[in-house]
Amino acid sequence: LSGIENSNFLITTENKKYILTLLESRTSPDALPFVLEFMGELGKSGLCVPSPIINRQGQQSFKIKDKTALLMSYLEGRGVTQADINDDLCFSAGKILAEIHKAGEGVKAHWPNSMNLQTTAALAKNIMHPSAQIIHDEIIYQQNQNYTHLPCGA
């Protein structure tokens, strides 16, 4: 299964399906309490999110070799392709994003954004593509903005 930062595997039993997630190098295991609390708040608000499966030792996470792992409930669905994108889908995505922001207001924990402008700028230095200059210029523009007046969530 595809993932952005982690490795995900579909686990199938006779009765159920699960997702096994292995945290990769950019994802800190220290972020798990925040992530799981955030997902719990989303679920309480009625959004369809996976739930962690608690193991026999009462833990939400565990180790497989040297990687932190989670076993999560499985949600039916499929990925979105370029051909799927239309005005209705964009409207629905915006509506769900607004619901996520509202549900996130109940999260008391905070976790710093690991993809902040400094991290993005460092990663962008490795881009070897004609659009690299556009990305570089946008990062400089964003770094010169004052966003302190904007609301801040979890």
Side-chain angles (χ1 to χ4, degrees):
L1 298 172
S2 64
I4 296 172
E5 296 179 6
N6 302 311
S7 297
N8 298 294
F9 303 91
L10 177 62
I11 307 294
T12 305
T13 68
E14 288 181 15
N15 301 322
K16 287 192 171 190
K17 293 180 184 178
Y18 302 93
I19 297 294
L20 174 65
T21 298
L22 301 179
L23 302 188
E24 299 298 349
S25 59
R26 214 181 70 72
T27 304
S28 170
D30 296 336
L32 284 181
F34 167 76
V35 170
L36 294 172
E37 178 186 345
F38 189 78
M39 289 176 64
E41 287 295 321
L42 297 180
K44 286 182 206 171
S45 74
L47 290 165
C48 187
V49 295
S51 302
I53 306 300
I54 309 299
N55 68 16
R56 290 183 181 133
Q57 291 76 35
Q59 301 166 321
Q60 294 178 327
S61 65
F62 51 95
K63 292 280 188 184
I64 295 180
K65 297 214 179 199
D66 61 339
K67 295 189 179 192
T68 300
L70 292 166
L71 189 63
M72 304 291 287
S73 60
Y74 177 80
L75 300 177
E76 290 291 337
R78 66 174 184 84
V80 176
T81 67
Q82 185 72 32
D84 295 325
I85 299 173
N86 59 38
D87 290 347
D88 290 338
L89 181 67
C90 291
F91 179 83
S92 295
K95 184 177 176 187
I96 291 169
L97 185 58
E99 291 172 6
I100 289 170
H101 280 280
K102 286 196 68 71
E105 291 173 354
V107 176
K108 304 213 180 346
H110 178 76
W111 190 257
N113 179 2
S114 64
M115 284 305 295
N116 56 35
L117 283 173
Q118 291 81 10
T119 306
T120 304
L123 290 172
K125 288 179 182 177
N126 299 321
I127 296 174
M128 300 296 188
H129 188 272
S131 63
Q133 187 60 48
I134 295 169
I135 294 168
H136 174 74
D137 292 346
E138 182 62 26
I139 290 170
I140 290 172
Y141 173 80
Q142 295 298 329
Q143 289 172 330
N144 289 312
Q145 302 307 304
N146 179 2
Y147 295 115
T148 57
H149 64 284
L150 296 176
C152 181

